[in-house]
Each structure stands twice: as structure tokens, then as C-alpha cells.
Amino acid sequence: MTLQKVAIIGVGQTRFGNIIDKKAEELFAEAFLEAVNDVDKGIDISEIQEVYIGNSGVGGGQLGNFSSLMTDYVGLTGASALRIENACASSGFAMRAAILAVSSGVCDVALAGGEEKMNDTPRNRVRYWLGISGDMEWERLSGMTFAGVFALMAIRHMHEYGTKREHLAMVSVKNHKNGASNPKAHLQRETTLERALASPMIAYPLTLFDCCPISDGASAVIVCKADLAKKYTDTPVYVAGHGGSTDRLSVFQRDDVTSINSSVVAAKRAYKMASVKPEDIDVAEVHDCFTIAEIIAYEDLGFCPKGKGGKLLEEGQTEIGGKIPVNPSGGLKSKGHPVGATGTGQIYEIVNQLRGSVEKKNRQVSGAEIGLTHNTGGSGGTTVVHILKR
Amino acid sequence: MAHVSIPSYWKTLPQRYCLIGMKCKNCGTINFPAREICISCKQKSEFEPKKLSGRGKIYSYTVIAAGSAPPEFSEQEKLAGSFPVAIVELEEGLRICAQITDYEEEDLKIEAEVEAVFRKIYEEDKVIRYGLKFRPVKKRKSLP
């Protein structure tokens, strides 16, 4: 069977943040309508045959038949639809499912998206919910939190490679700087190294400024067969490669906690499919749920050798203007992390970067031709990587 | 808020109370917690119970700060404020995730020797869940 090449023809995203005046389906509709309007030569939404929506179900609002609620509200009734749940990587995997649907030849046009509403849920319920995408029976029953699991990775990374708390804070400073010029970011303000280091401890060595915020938001991406793309838009972005993978759910049972193997494997598959190397990537959005996760991602994705993530930051190579700009959107840290909407939110950013259509020029990576997204579920139980080309 | 149900908890009591690992008869790897498909050789194997020593070293650790503990640990949080959680590498080579207890701040470091102790973990649905925590192995001062 010959696989069809896939193109992205429209992307949309709400502002991420504490959005109290919109319900889940209204958030999704906002992102969806923006994606439809983004298809510059127009599209009739009845052409969308397959729909995949990422949602973790924080707070447990509509868990059953979530996809029907969403498609019904935006006028897509009749399309086949599926809610995809892979914790924080839900919509990254929804994206991959939409790509697979088109590339298999099953449909011409598919929609991937994500939605999460986290702020209208009682605090204790969010705290309960957030910890249960890792290992429940042993890690969680040790009183472990999500920040705690990533803190275990950080302490070990510091021990083995000499990474310092300052390196963690540098991720925070860089991403807040980028997010400060992103009108759709949750935390649109800069911070300093001193402030990040002095902020309250959450799980040693991670402080508040090492952790992403709890956000609401939605995102949507319309994909089609590549040979149909020019019918819909003059500026399609092509899917060059993708890969998904899993790792052991519990961090304590992994051979090496300073790396997330699902990232390594997913990236390897995506690079191979796209026939590119890490050094060919011009811009990347990576899963920085905690600052240490971004440092580990540099190493797992091959942007630097193992253990050299801190050095890459010191050299400023992942800033806009550096060798490999990472998280020009502000990343999860500053742009925000509405769990189920994050994956397709990363696609939204990279598509705009490759088109050169980022709304503020200081955030635009100039001349970017190949971009990568990296979306991890929980503490690394699942990861999906996409490589996009102009 | 049922997190791990009482039947599920009971099923793992030999592990939680007595540190019983399951040794794969195919490759010899100790699986902890128990599995049906061996974590190492990935075979559907026979397993034999193996009592673990409970002695080991801290492989990595963190301190869950006051105000950020999971809600079911809020009582402990109220009493103790922050509390440390570690990955402990046991003498037998496998790793386990548990709280560190009866500690001083300087005890929290990678490679520090620890031993398992039986403790209350938390209470849920009016049932106290017991299990193991680890405490530093102190060098005892010899008597004069």
C-alpha cells in the first residue's frame, strides 16, 4: 500500500490561560473556526471526514462521548470522531491519528485538535487529577507528585552530568522571554534568573518557576492529502515525518531516569521517516512541562550530546537567533499547558514559524524551513514527535 | 476519593508489608512490583517469591514541598510540612519508590544508605494503608 503524503492547510489556537467565560465546547469552537478561516482559499467543513480530539479529562467533565459533544457543537456531526487520551500528549497523538487517517487513503481531509479546561475545577480535584497520569500504585502512593517525578530526574541529572539549578532557571527565563511577546500565551511576562531561583520550592530542586501553569485552552489543525493542498491554500506545510513511542509508566522502573526513552525512540522514527538529522532542524517546540524536561529533551532529540543540555543553554543556542531555537512560543512554561490542547498547539506554532507568519517579528525564527514538535504524556509514558517542512 | 481500591491494595500486601519480589524462573530477574510478563526477558514466565533485604542506597530523591502534596497526603502535610520521596536502589539491584522517614537534612543525598521500615502511609475511606518507608542507616556510636 502506498502511503499518501500529508499537508497541513489550516491551524487555530485560542489564547491559553485562565479562561473563565468559555465552556469546553466553546473553547474548541474558537480554535476550530480559526483553523477553518486559516485555510486561505476556503474549505467546506463537510469535507472533514475524520476527527481526532485530544483531551485528558481533567476534572472529569464530559468523559464519555466527548468527541460527539465537540463535533456536534461545531457542525461536524456525521464525521467519524474519536477522543484521544494520552495525558499531556493527547493532541500530539490526535495529530498523528489524523495524519495516519489521511496517509492511509481512508479520507482526504481530517481534523486534529485538543481541548482542556482545568481552572474551573476545585484545586484539590486538579491536584488529584494531575498526579494520576504517572504510576498510581507505587509512585503516587509514596506521596509523589508530577513535579516530584521530574525532580527525581533533575537530581539524578545534576548528579551524573553536573547540571545546576541555574540551568533549570535559564530554561524558565528563555521561555518567559519568548512567551512575553506571544499574544496567545498564558504568562506573557519576562522573568529573571534571580527571581526564578528565589521562587517558592515545589519539589526540590524544582521551584514554581520550573513548573508550567495550569491552563485552559484549545487548538485545531486541518490536514489533507498533499496533492490536494494547493486547492485549499498557497502556503501548505508538509508532514515530513512522525513517530510515537511508549516507555515504562513508572519512572523508578526505568533503567535511566536522566533520559525519556519514549522521546528517543519517537524522535528516531520521525527523523528516519523525514530523512533528516537533528542538526537539520531549524526550530522546535518541545515538551517543557518542567524545566528539566526541556534539558532532557535537547539530549533525547539529539540537539546536543547526552549530559550537555546545560551547556547548550549557557551558549544561548536554543534562544531565537541561536543554532536551534526551542520553544519560540514560550513553551508549556510560559505559553501554558492546557493538557489535552498542548500537542496541536505546538503544531500551530511550528506551522506559523515555517510560513513566516508569527504575529510578532521578534518571535519569528527567520528562514526556518524544517520544524519539530515533541509532546510527552505524563512523566514520559508516551511521546509523539512530528517533523514539518515548508 | 478512591485512588487505589482496597482490593487492589490488598492484592499487593506481600510486597507492601514484606518486600516480597517475584523472581523470574526464565531469566532470574526479580520483578518488583509483581508482573505477569517479566520486565527483563518479556516472557510469560513462572515466578517464585523472593524476600528482599530492605537495605539499599538512595538513587535519586526529592522533597515534596508543603502545599503541593497530593490531596490524600494532606494530613501528613499538615503534620510534617514537606516530606522526602526517593528512588531507592536495593542491594538486590532493583529500584523502588518510597518516602524517606526519620531523617536529617544531610541524610538526603545520592548513595546514602537506607533501610526499610514499616509505617502508616495514609488513610483513605477510614482505612489506614500501611506500607514501607526507608530511613537512613546511622552509624551507631559504640558504647564507652
Side-chain angles (χ1 to χ4, degrees):
Chain A
M1 192 170 71
T2 341
L3 290 180
Q4 303 284 325
K5 290 215 175 305
V6 179
I8 298 166
I9 51 173
V11 290
Q13 190 206 292
T14 66
R15 185 187 165 176
F16 287 177
N18 185 356
I19 304 168
I20 51 170
D21 58 344
K22 285 204 173 185
K23 296 196 291 180
E25 58 269 39
E26 291 169 339
L27 276 172
F28 181 69
E30 183 186 329
F32 172 69
L33 291 174
E34 192 182 307
V36 170
N37 290 329
D38 188 49
V39 181
D40 51 11
K41 292 183 185 168
I43 187 169
D44 179 345
I45 62 168
S46 67
E47 291 177 62
I48 298 170
Q49 297 146 302
E50 296 277 339
V51 179
Y52 302 92
I53 308 169
N55 177 264
S56 183
V58 173
Q62 175 95 25
L63 275 181
N65 261 341
F66 176 85
S67 63
S68 172
L69 170 69
M70 295 298 145
T71 47
D72 183 3
Y73 194 77
V74 302
L76 286 173
T77 308
S80 171
L82 188 63
R83 164 182 175 246
I84 292 196
E85 186 284 303
N86 264 358
C88 321
S90 294
S91 59
F93 276 90
M95 180 69 194
R96 187 155 184 268
I99 292 167
L100 290 173
V102 172
S103 70
S104 71
V106 163
C107 66
D108 291 342
V109 183
L111 172 72
E115 185 281 327
E116 206 77 57
K117 204 143 172 56
M118 303 172 75
N119 281 295
D120 61 355
T121 303
R123 200 178 134 71
N124 255 12
R125 210 163 156 193
V126 173
R127 273 165 73 183
Y128 163 68
W129 207 268
L130 281 180
I132 58 170
S133 295
D135 171 61
M136 280 292 290
E137 288 213 348
W138 296 91
E139 283 174 359
R140 173 61 175 248
L141 285 189
S142 306
M144 191 50 106
T145 60
F146 246 119
V149 177
F150 279 90
L152 292 172
M153 299 183 198
I155 286 285
R156 193 70 203 180
H157 203 279
M158 290 168 156
H159 175 76
E160 290 189 22
Y161 302 111
T163 305
K164 294 186 164 53
R165 278 191 60 209
E166 285 74 10
H167 291 125
L168 304 178
M170 284 162 86
V171 173
S172 191
V173 171
K174 169 182 75 70
N175 290 354
H176 271 281
K177 187 181 171 199
N178 294 345
S181 347
N182 182 351
K184 288 186 170 177
H186 186 164
L187 305 172
Q188 294 173 33
R189 51 183 180 266
E190 296 196 28
T191 190
T192 62
L193 206 63
E194 295 70 31
R195 190 162 176 229
L197 286 167
S199 69
M201 199 57 80
I202 301 295
Y204 179 81
L206 304 181
T207 69
L208 184 64
F209 273 76
D210 290 307
C211 309
C212 66
I214 288 170
S215 317
D216 308 327
S219 51
V221 178
I222 302 171
V223 294
C224 76
K225 277 184 190 160
D227 53 11
L228 300 176
K230 289 283 167 89
K231 186 179 114 186
Y232 297 108
T233 175
D234 290 328
T235 55
V237 167
Y238 298 95
V239 178
H242 54 84
S245 183
T246 47
D247 197 354
R248 285 178 187 154
L249 182 63
S250 43
V251 172
F252 74 95
Q253 292 199 60
R254 295 179 192 164
D255 296 333
D256 179 6
V257 304
T258 65
S259 170
I260 291 177
N261 201 45
S262 57
S263 297
V264 175
V265 176
K268 209 174 275 178
R269 288 175 179 157
Y271 285 134
K272 191 179 171 206
M273 190 187 290
S275 300
V276 299
K277 295 191 176 67
E279 51 269 33
D280 299 325
I281 304 297
D282 299 317
V283 57
E285 286 280 304
V286 312
H287 200 89
D288 60 323
C289 48
F290 299 94
T291 50
I292 183 63
E294 178 163 326
I295 293 175
I296 290 176
Y298 295 163
E299 301 169 6
D300 289 344
L301 298 170
F303 296 162
C304 67
K306 183 78 209 152
K308 301 287 185 198
K311 189 161 169 269
L312 198 67
L313 278 162
E314 282 173 20
E315 293 168 349
Q317 300 289 16
T318 55
E319 290 169 25
I320 293 167
K323 192 177 71 182
I324 166 71
V326 173
N327 286 330
S329 71
L332 281 61
K333 178 68 203 81
S334 166
K335 182 190 180 187
H337 184 27
V339 176
T342 290
T344 33
Q346 293 176 324
I347 301 284
Y348 170 86
E349 172 69 14
I350 292 296
V351 165
N352 279 308
Q353 287 286 351
L354 297 180
R355 285 178 182 161
S357 55
V358 172
E359 54 308 278
K360 289 197 181 173
K361 289 302 154 204
N362 61 337
R363 230 166 49 70
Q364 175 72 53
V365 177
S366 64
E369 291 188 2
I370 306 178
L372 177 148
T373 64
H374 161 262
N375 188 200
T376 289
S379 47
T382 49
T383 297
V384 59
V385 170
H386 292 97
I387 296 173
L388 310 181
K389 272 187 186 174
R390 212 158 49 179
Chain B
M1 253 198 289
H3 303 102
V4 172
S5 68
I6 290 170
S8 293
Y9 203 85
W10 273 43
K11 204 167 168 275
T12 55
L13 286 188
Q15 296 156 50
R16 295 188 187 279
Y17 287 7
C18 311
L19 262 186
I20 305 291
M22 299 304 278
K23 190 174 176 181
C24 172
K25 285 187 179 174
N26 186 43
C27 73
T29 302
I30 299 168
N31 285 240
F32 187 98
R35 287 166 177 259
E36 279 183 72
I37 314 287
C38 173
I39 194 169
S40 178
C41 69
K42 313 247 184 338
Q43 300 295 311
K44 172 89 177 97
S45 173
E46 298 280 310
F47 293 90
E48 60 185 2
K50 165 117 175 79
K51 168 96 176 123
L52 303 169
S53 70
R55 294 177 67 94
K57 289 176 176 173
I58 293 179
Y59 172 80
S60 193
Y61 67 92
T62 182
V63 182
I64 307 297
S68 77
E72 65 273 24
F73 286 87
S74 51
E75 191 193 327
Q76 177 178 3
E77 190 180 44
K78 247 179 254 164
L79 293 169
S82 59
F83 57 86
V85 185
I87 298 176
V88 173
E89 187 162 293
L90 298 175
E91 282 176 345
E92 292 85 354
L94 56 103
R95 295 184 198 138
I96 173 169
C97 187
Q99 283 189 23
I100 302 292
T101 188
D102 307 347
Y103 71 102
E104 309 287 336
E105 211 164 300
E106 68 259 26
D107 297 323
L108 294 178
K109 51 180 186 277
I110 287 177
E111 293 290 310
E113 287 182 40
V114 290
E115 61 190 4
V117 281
F118 193 68
R119 288 284 189 274
K120 173 183 172 180
I121 305 296
Y122 76 106
E123 192 175 324
E124 185 181 308
D125 302 335
K126 300 203 164 75
V127 176
I128 296 177
R129 311 284 181 101
Y130 292 98
L132 297 173
K133 296 186 181 182
F134 284 79
R135 71 177 171 204
V137 178
K138 301 275 187 193
K139 290 208 171 62
R140 315 266 177 222
K141 278 183 193 160
S142 56
L143 291 169

